[in-house]
Amino acid sequence: QVRLVESGGGLVQAGGSLRLSCLASGSIFGINVMGWYRQAPGKQRELVAAITSDGSTNYADSVKDRFTINRDNAKNTVYLQMDSLKPEDTAVYYCNAKKFWSAPNDPGSWGQGTQVTVSS
């Protein structure tokens, strides 16, 4: 079982920056895609950004040019650098990991989430 622990959330003013980290431990062999999702109150969880083991990235349109995802495979850690934050970025941010052999409908492993609040 993969264990994911997020850190780095907090309260920031609009226009500010935060950097989230997610450390993977446990059964980490075979992790391919690591991603960040977020869920705002009353809304569905949505993909923010994802990165494969070879560095290919994917971003939600709403965060392109503001957020950057990267990973350090040696440290089993994925990061989300969030710049030019907006109040609508306020949400609980979750880390996710999927193995190479995960089925398309496999939700993967989830962290406990970290709160990001952007004040206007």
Side-chain angles (χ1 to χ4, degrees):
Q1 185 175 359
V2 178
R3 182 168 181 254
L4 302 172
V5 178
E6 302 101 334
S7 61
L11 173 64
V12 65
Q13 288 188 332
S17 298
L18 282 175
R19 187 192 193 209
L20 305 183
S21 300
C22 172
L23 173 64
S25 62
S27 181
I28 61 173
F29 175 77
I31 290 178
N32 179 21
V33 182
M34 296 191 76
W36 289 96
Y37 290 72
R38 67 186 180 188
Q39 187 166 18
K43 295 189 177 181
Q44 288 190 333
R45 191 173 297 189
E46 63 175 359
L47 175 67
V48 176
I51 184 168
T52 63
S53 58
D54 64 357
S56 296
T57 59
N58 181 41
Y59 294 92
D61 288 343
S62 59
V63 306
K64 281 180 181 176
D65 301 323
R66 298 190 298 122
F67 291 10
T68 304
I69 188 170
N70 55 62
R71 66 193 281 177
D72 185 333
N73 289 326
K75 295 182 178 180
N76 301 315
T77 301
V78 62
Y79 305 95
L80 184 68
Q81 178 66 40
M82 305 186 294
D83 299 317
S84 302
L85 282 160
K86 304 176 181 180
E88 50 263 45
D89 294 318
T90 295
V92 178
Y93 283 70
Y94 296 91
C95 182
N96 177 267
K98 295 180 182 178
K99 301 291 184 79
F100 280 96
W101 51 83
S102 295
N105 61 349
D106 186 339
S109 300
W110 293 95
Q112 81 288 353
T114 186
Q115 177 70 46
V116 171
T117 302
V118 184
S119 63
S120 57

